[in-house]
Amino acid sequence: MLAGALLGGYPAGAQTVAPGPYYATPSWDQQLRAASRFVVLANWNLEAVLDRETGLVWQRQPAETALAHAAAHTACMLVRTGGRGGWRLPTVDEIGSLLDTTPAAAGSGLPIGHPFMGVAGVAFQTATHEFSSDGTFAVFVQRVGPNADLLSAIPSIALRYRCVRGGANAQHVRGRN
């Protein structure tokens, strides 16, 4: 029952809560069940989640405030989730790696038993952006939930965001003709 209390109301065994070491061996070709895929990082004040499938560390709960793209980018660089810096906006591929399109996950759009809070039905901005042939700039936005889809938005529109740590830290730019 203590594990359930530590997990903020999630059923015991929904995912691992541990102080480490974690020794993730990420491989984008593996598929892990949520119970072994996600580790809520106890020594990060339960504020971060290691995805053992990708090796990325995610904020457990997204920011409550919606910000324009540049401000969200800066906010991730400055945040100290779990007492650590080094955060950034995720790419569209990274945030998409969290999605589960199986019928069983249709309610949240995430794997059953995931440890994340405040995600269903939210559109999160990403670091991935595009320039169209007329020079218009747009950012990609990933909606999480039963109607998960990929959208593009004007960078000045305030949207929710979730920061990630680790990975390639690459800015993905896609061109359109």
Side-chain angles (χ1 to χ4, degrees):
M1 190 59 164
L2 177 59
L6 285 174
L7 298 175
Y10 288 98
Q15 68 276 327
T16 304
V17 175
Y22 308 105
Y23 301 114
T25 308
S27 177
W28 283 72
D29 67 343
Q30 67 182 343
Q31 289 188 9
L32 302 174
R33 297 179 63 169
S36 60
R37 177 179 175 180
F38 299 113
V39 180
V40 178
L41 303 178
N43 57 341
W44 292 43
N45 303 322
L46 304 175
E47 297 173 359
V49 176
L50 170 66
D51 180 349
R52 294 182 66 230
E53 198 170 279
T54 63
L56 298 171
V57 177
W58 293 90
Q59 288 180 315
R60 188 170 180 204
Q61 185 161 350
E64 293 292 324
T65 308
L67 296 174
H69 189 259
H73 176 75
T74 301
C76 281
M77 290 190 329
L78 298 175
V79 74
R80 303 289 296 172
T81 301
R84 295 283 193 255
W87 298 90
R88 61 182 173 79
L89 282 176
T91 65
V92 71
D93 296 325
E94 290 167 338
I95 203 163
S97 74
L98 294 175
L99 300 179
D100 184 346
T101 58
T102 63
S108 72
L110 296 171
I112 301 298
H114 72 84
F116 300 106
M117 298 157 49
V119 293
V122 176
F124 294 107
Q125 53 185 305
T126 71
T128 307
H129 54 276
E130 66 181 356
F131 291 97
S132 66
S133 59
D134 65 1
T136 307
F137 175 74
V139 296
F140 281 98
V141 177
Q142 178 68 61
R143 187 179 3 233
V144 177
N147 299 318
D149 55 358
L150 186 61
L151 313 164
S152 62
I154 300 167
S156 60
I157 294 175
L159 296 165
R160 300 273 304 273
Y161 62 97
R162 159 174 266 129
C163 305
V164 69
R165 195 169 188 263
N169 199 16
Q171 293 277 353
H172 288 273
V173 179
R174 298 180 181 194
R176 282 198 176 163
N177 294 327

